[in-house]
Amino acid sequence: MQSLAVQITIAVSLVVVACFVWVLLNSKGVAPWEQIAKPAYQARSFLFFVAIAAGIAISFFTLVPWPHDANAAAVTRQIDAKARQWAWELSDDKAQVGEVIEFRVSAEDVNHGFALYDPDKRIVAQIQAMPGFVNKVRHRFVRPGIYQILCLEYCGVAHHAMVAEIIVGAATSN
Ligand code: CUA
């Protein structure tokens, strides 16, 4: 009886060993799933760089027309805007279409708010006017007309009277 068990064990063991040998002899090639996955990995690498390139391009082209116009080289002129209770003192009140004006905004007494409105009374630039600081805000004038500067920070009884005008003329060839 024991010799029969030994013989069966040896036979089964030989079958198991034969299976291992068969797998070993047939495992030198590339597994089928790797062949399927290879193009997918290549596509993933390609799409990764496409996504990076697209992100840079989209960021670049959508940030250029930013209202604040961060490109300092584009500034054609500066206008000083001093706020006090209750008036604006501008170093100039005229501009031309196409100009990029950098407003250098400060205050002589308390905090005020510098807000630039286009001829349709839509706000196009805004910054705080603070004593002891010169805050800069840039605007590219694209339409002629009368722009207004209003105070956006409540600064006393005549806060509403802080109105100044900038007359923007059509572009001239000079
Ligand atoms: Cu100045 Cu409100």
Side-chain angles (χ1 to χ4, degrees):
M1 192 67 183
Q2 276 188 334
S3 68
L4 180 63
V6 170
Q7 285 169 2
I8 290 172
T9 301
I10 289 172
V12 170
S13 298
L14 284 174
V15 170
V16 170
V17 168
C19 289
F20 273 96
V21 170
W22 184 83
V23 168
L24 188 67
L25 292 175
N26 290 281
S27 64
K28 287 176 183 160
V30 178
W33 68 268
E34 282 184 322
Q35 286 178 324
I36 294 166
K38 197 177 177 188
Y41 283 132
Q42 287 175 333
R44 187 177 68 174
S45 300
F46 175 71
L47 287 174
F48 176 75
F49 288 106
V50 167
I52 294 287
I56 291 171
I58 290 168
S59 299
F60 181 79
F61 287 109
T62 56
L63 287 179
V64 166
W66 222 25
H68 292 115
D69 200 341
N71 183 7
V75 171
T76 54
R77 214 149 50 84
Q78 293 177 330
I79 291 179
D80 294 329
K82 277 187 206 148
R84 68 171 174 279
Q85 292 165 313
W86 286 278
W88 293 101
E89 183 186 321
L90 303 176
S91 63
D92 194 1
D93 62 358
K94 289 182 178 61
Q96 295 293 316
V97 166
E99 276 195 301
V100 178
I101 303 291
E102 181 177 80
F103 293 95
R104 297 165 52 87
V105 180
S106 60
E108 293 181 354
D109 36 37
V110 299
N111 267 32
H112 301 265
F114 175 97
L116 180 66
Y117 290 78
D118 74 5
D120 291 335
K121 309 240 184 284
R122 284 182 305 206
I123 192 164
V124 292
Q126 180 265 322
I127 202 164
Q128 280 291 109
M130 304 156 69
F133 293 89
V134 177
N135 292 329
K136 298 170 188 171
V137 65
R138 300 179 185 125
H139 181 68
R140 183 191 302 275
F141 287 94
V142 294
R143 294 173 51 203
I146 298 172
Y147 288 63
Q148 283 190 316
I149 295 166
L150 273 63
C151 186
L152 272 195
E153 182 84 37
Y154 183 72
C155 55
V157 291
H159 154 76
H160 61 278
M162 288 187 64
V163 182
E165 288 185 347
I166 292 188
I167 296 160
V168 178
T172 54
S173 55
N174 49 4

